[in-house]
Amino acid sequence: MTTMEEYHSGSESSFHSEEADNIVKECIEGVVGNDDYSQSLVNKWTAGIVERCLTQLVKQGKPYKYIVTCAVMQKTGAGLHTANSCYWDTTMDGSSTVRWENRTMYCVVSVFAVAIA
Amino acid sequence: MDEDQTEEETAFVVDEVSKIIKESVEATIGANAYQHSRVNQWTTSVVEQCLSQLSKLGKPFKYIVTCIIMQKNGAGLQTASTCFWDNSTDGSCAVRWENKSMYCIVSVFGLAI
């Protein structure tokens, strides 16, 4: 009985990246969907994407602090490379990165979830 | 007096972190021109150097370091981030660096344990 309880609470308190991926994809589609890259709107888009993602993640009610980052880049042939590294508790914390694109731009969103003790 | 010192030791000090980031970036890509074959190595090296210097500070924080390197060819790039955390103990710092052929943006997020 004790073993089953421990296993159960283990899976509840680890980060589920597939759920986060779905949330992020919906938020990107919702904000940017079919639009073409626009210098004047890109500021609003990145802010809109991160806020929407954060709201949806927090709604899940899990005991986590979240960091959501978003980069939107115009497609002109330039090279873009991103990397991230984390110093945390690997059993409880987790991250998820979604790469999305349409005809005129790339969008890279990362979600980092850090468990609250 | 003791209490003040303890606060300094356990707070996220933006200037300190900013200095660490600048040093890591300069050491890794300082004098180099954008090279597609090496950029993978560079981003990894920048984040790893930052992280090891940050953990050496010995503060009770979890850290997340992200690095973006982009070739300068006229493309527009916009980045944003938002955080759901404890405003009194957690903090972040972002540094934008560039040379003739590329931009490098590094962000560090520190979350108190």
Side-chain angles (χ1 to χ4, degrees), chain A residues 22-36:
Chain A
N22 286 333
I23 289 174
V24 169
K25 281 185 190 127
E26 283 170 17
C27 293
I28 298 176
E29 302 266 331
V31 174
V32 165
N34 279 322
D35 297 338
D36 284 345

Side-chain angles (χ1 to χ4, degrees), chain B residues 21 25 46 50 65-68 93-96 104-108:
Chain B
I21 297 174
V25 173
V46 168
C50 283
V65 183
T66 69
C67 169
I68 295 178
C93 172
V95 171
R96 273 157 287 277
C104 179
I105 301 170
V106 178
S107 302
V108 172

Side-chain angles (χ1 to χ4, degrees), chain B residues 18-96:
Chain B
S18 172
K19 197 159 149 269
I20 287 175
I21 297 174
K22 285 185 185 132
E23 283 170 10
S24 302
V25 173
E26 294 274 330
T28 309
I29 56 178
N32 297 332
Y34 181 87
Q35 257 177 279
H36 183 70
S37 55
R38 295 187 62 190
V39 74
N40 200 355
Q41 216 186 318
W42 288 339
T43 45
T44 311
S45 168
V46 168
V47 294
E48 281 175 8
Q49 273 195 46
C50 283
L51 204 56
S52 68
Q53 297 290 62
L54 288 164
S55 55
K56 274 192 197 158
L57 293 176
K59 297 192 176 180
F61 278 97
K62 291 181 179 179
Y63 294 103
I64 292 163
V65 183
T66 69
C67 169
I68 295 178
I69 292 181
M70 185 174 88
Q71 190 181 12
K72 275 187 175 179
N73 90 343
L77 173 75
Q78 177 82 17
T79 67
S81 69
T82 187
C83 313
F84 180 73
W85 60 21
D86 183 339
N87 269 332
S88 53
T89 56
D90 305 330
S92 71
C93 172
V95 171
R96 273 157 287 277

Side-chain angles (χ1 to χ4, degrees), chain A residues 5-50:
Chain A
E5 276 174 28
E6 276 171 0
Y7 176 76
H8 192 56
S9 39
S11 58
E12 270 176 12
S13 58
S14 58
F15 179 66
H16 297 289
S17 58
E18 320 81 47
E19 270 184 71
D21 278 357
N22 286 333
I23 289 174
V24 169
K25 281 185 190 127
E26 283 170 17
C27 293
I28 298 176
E29 302 266 331
V31 174
V32 165
N34 279 322
D35 297 338
D36 284 345
Y37 181 86
S38 155
Q39 170 87 5
S40 51
L41 290 177
V42 71
N43 203 354
K44 275 207 313 190
W45 289 337
T46 46
I49 290 170
V50 294

